[in-house]
Amino acid sequence: MNAQSAYAELVRRTREAAVVLSCAELLGWDELTYMPPGGIENRGNQMAFLAGLHHERSTDPRIGELLEELEHSPLIADRESPAAVNVRELRRTYSRQARLPRPLVEELARVTSVAQQEWETAKEDDSFSRAQPWLERIVSLKRDEADCLGHQGVAYDALLDEYEPGMTSGELSRLFDALRSDLMPLLQRIVGSGRRPHAAILRRDFPIDRQHVFAETLASTLGFDFHRGRLDTTSHPFFSTVGPGDCRITTRYRHNQFSEAFFATLHEVGHALYEQGLDPEHYGTPMGESSSLGIHESQSRLWENNVGRSRAFWEHFLPQAQQVFHEALHGVTLDEFYHAVNHVEPSLNRVRADQVTYDLHVIVRFEIEQALISGDLPVADIPAVWNEKYQHYLGITPASDGEGCLQDSHWAAGMFGYFSGYTLGNVFAAQLFAAATRELGDL
């Protein structure tokens, strides 16, 4: 077989596996938006079946043979060509996935599918004990996964590599140390300054039906294509790409909190613009995917913060917001609103955190999940350790597990190694925005 034929077969097989993954993506979206609670057991079985099928397709020995043939062909001489990129990245993912036994892959899919629903109930009931057995099972499975993947003595690094290829916990620790040494003193100076914006203007009554309309207007204005996507409501905002032409984002609304839905929508639109900007001709191959979680998060954080909290942005959007929410925002000046959306104050919730404190929230999660995977922290001790770290880094303590360690669903979804992507996204976004400013002028 010549190289062109081998490459064509490799792409075909990869795209077939991608279709299986897209079916799982659609079921996952449905589970977190519209699925009735009674369907969770069957959904877990569905997700396990699709995970096993995808694993079978993506680890077929034939793929290894094709990669071996292509890696010694002139087709990939240009390392930046689509063929070279695809072969290189497919070798990486093939090598990772081939180390994982299918029963483990299926069990992780089944357990995390059910666990996410149990986690939501535990959060509503403020009952960590309800989530604990599921999290214990997931932590055990993730340790098994790390051991199967292989590592240099730090199991967590094997999981981190899934989201940020080549990154290690040691490198992240150095980054977090640098951020922490600057952010904590900065936070103390801001809190001690005595200057307080009128943040209460964001906590007036904002009717949810109008928020929904405004969120759709926001998404459309920024370029989100509703012909190739949709916006729905969920308990924890996320984006989901089912395939070319089908990118779905979600948000959540609170009638007395303008920032909740607005910035959550802005964040997810950033993800969606990246996904809708990918070349559909490369769908199902690495050339048609994001390069890393941190880069993906850089797009959401750039739109959410670098753009969405800028004065120029609100010069445009505040008049529109005042038309939609006339009673709540009547008489509010641009200065008042601009300072309110940039208010800095220690808080308990990561999603609603300001730019100064946000990475401190991530550090808490990074330190806890490392300890969970290494075995240094029993799952039962998460609430106590969480509260201690919040007191240490932010000077506040959650009054309940619902507003503390149960606020994020990532661990229930088995996403250990994910949280650091938010901080990497902040760092990348700052560099991208600075570069754009140098090239384009004052943005």
Side-chain angles (χ1 to χ4, degrees):
M1 178 180 289
N2 61 43
Q4 289 289 352
S5 297
Y7 182 68
E9 181 181 347
L10 176 66
V11 170
R12 176 182 62 79
R13 288 174 173 273
T14 302
R15 285 178 171 159
E16 287 176 352
V19 170
V20 177
L21 202 59
S22 74
C23 294
E25 193 76 15
L26 180 59
L27 289 180
W29 169 85
D30 175 72
E31 178 182 335
L32 298 175
T33 51
Y34 294 108
M35 187 192 78
I40 185 57
E41 183 177 352
N42 184 56
R43 182 56 46 86
N45 293 332
Q46 291 173 320
M47 297 298 277
F49 174 78
L50 288 173
L53 183 59
H54 176 263
H55 184 263
E56 177 185 306
R57 291 295 185 97
S58 59
T59 60
D60 189 312
R62 178 59 180 158
I63 293 179
E65 294 172 0
L66 293 168
L67 288 170
E68 177 71 22
E69 180 175 344
L70 289 165
E71 285 166 341
H72 298 87
S73 76
L75 188 65
I76 64 169
D78 178 2
R79 287 182 55 79
E80 294 186 5
S81 68
V85 171
N86 284 336
V87 169
R88 183 168 63 248
E89 292 302 310
L90 286 172
R91 165 60 75 185
R92 176 183 173 276
T93 56
Y94 177 78
S95 297
R96 280 180 61 88
Q97 293 172 348
R99 298 189 189 109
L100 300 175
R102 179 169 177 169
L104 174 60
V105 172
E106 292 176 336
E107 182 67 0
L108 264 168
R110 185 191 68 79
V111 170
T112 54
S113 182
V114 178
Q116 289 179 79
Q117 294 295 322
E118 292 293 330
W119 190 274
E120 290 297 334
T121 302
K123 180 180 177 180
E124 293 172 4
D125 296 344
D126 191 25
S127 172
F128 183 78
S129 61
R130 176 160 188 160
Q132 180 178 331
W134 291 98
L135 188 52
E136 287 173 341
R137 179 62 178 147
I138 291 170
V139 168
S140 176
L141 289 169
K142 296 302 287 188
R143 287 175 185 159
D144 290 344
E145 178 183 339
D147 288 340
C148 289
L149 290 171
H151 50 81
Q152 301 298 315
V154 182
Y156 183 77
D157 286 355
L159 305 179
L160 178 62
D161 190 67
E162 173 70 19
Y163 301 105
E164 204 65 30
M167 182 64 70
T168 67
S169 53
E171 290 175 299
L172 281 175
S173 294
R174 289 191 290 275
L175 171 63
F176 283 130
D177 287 345
L179 288 170
R180 181 169 43 226
S181 65
D182 284 342
L183 290 176
M184 293 183 72
L186 175 60
L187 177 60
Q188 292 172 2
R189 292 199 301 273
I190 293 173
V191 172
S193 70
R195 299 182 61 186
R196 294 289 181 273
H198 300 299
I201 63 178
L202 302 177
R203 296 191 292 271
R204 296 173 180 174
D205 184 31
F206 296 89
I208 288 178
D209 58 339
R210 296 186 187 182
Q211 287 193 57
H212 179 72
V213 172
F214 195 60
E216 289 187 334
T217 301
L218 167 71
S220 179
T221 301
L222 296 184
F224 180 70
D225 185 354
F226 277 94
H227 181 68
R228 298 187 296 138
R230 55 181 294 131
L231 171 64
D232 293 278
T233 306
T234 189
S235 60
H236 192 100
F238 67 95
F239 81 97
S240 182
T241 300
V242 178
D246 192 352
C247 179
R248 308 183 182 202
I249 58 176
T250 66
T251 192
R252 61 184 175 194
Y253 304 96
R254 295 171 65 194
H255 74 89
N256 62 346
Q257 181 54 264
F258 174 84
S259 296
E260 180 86 8
F262 186 88
F263 286 104
T265 302
L266 198 52
H267 181 100
E268 302 308 333
V269 165
H271 281 304
L273 293 179
Y274 188 2
E275 289 290 322
Q276 291 188 334
L278 294 172
D279 189 342
E281 289 188 10
H282 291 298
Y283 171 70
T285 72
M287 279 292 294
E289 300 170 353
S290 64
S291 54
S292 80
L293 173 64
I295 293 298
H296 220 308
E297 289 297 340
S298 77
Q299 300 308 288
S300 58
R301 297 297 285 171
L302 186 149
W303 282 99
E304 178 185 358
N305 293 319
N306 301 79
V307 175
R309 298 185 194 274
S310 69
R311 185 181 181 88
F313 182 88
W314 286 108
E315 286 177 355
H316 174 81
F317 268 101
L318 180 58
Q320 296 186 36
Q322 288 175 319
Q323 289 182 351
V324 177
F325 308 106
H326 179 72
E327 294 183 4
L329 297 178
H330 177 68
V332 175
T333 67
L334 175 61
D335 279 345
E336 288 174 329
F337 197 87
Y338 171 63
H339 289 139
V341 297
N342 285 285
H343 177 50
V344 173
E345 183 178 28
S347 63
L348 296 169
N349 190 279
R350 173 188 62 84
V351 174
R352 295 192 288 271
D354 57 77
Q355 294 183 78
V356 174
T357 62
Y358 187 93
D359 293 312
L360 299 176
H361 291 261
V362 176
I363 290 172
V364 170
R365 291 152 176 79
F366 173 68
E367 292 179 348
I368 288 177
E369 63 181 21
Q370 282 189 97
L372 287 170
I373 297 302
S374 69
D376 293 336
L377 176 66
V379 169
D381 292 346
I382 288 178
V385 173
W386 181 286
N387 293 351
E388 290 172 4
K389 289 184 179 293
Y390 262 78
Q391 183 61 45
H392 174 68
Y393 289 125
L394 292 155
I396 52 179
T397 303
S400 68
D401 293 336
E403 65 179 12
C405 63
L406 290 173
Q407 65 180 265
D408 296 306
S409 60
H410 297 58
W411 291 338
M415 297 160 65
F416 285 83
Y418 190 103
F419 280 114
S420 59
Y422 292 119
T423 289
L424 291 171
N426 286 338
V427 174
F428 297 158
Q431 296 176 72
L432 291 168
F433 202 79
T437 299
R438 286 195 302 271
E439 292 186 16
L440 302 176
D442 183 5
L443 298 178

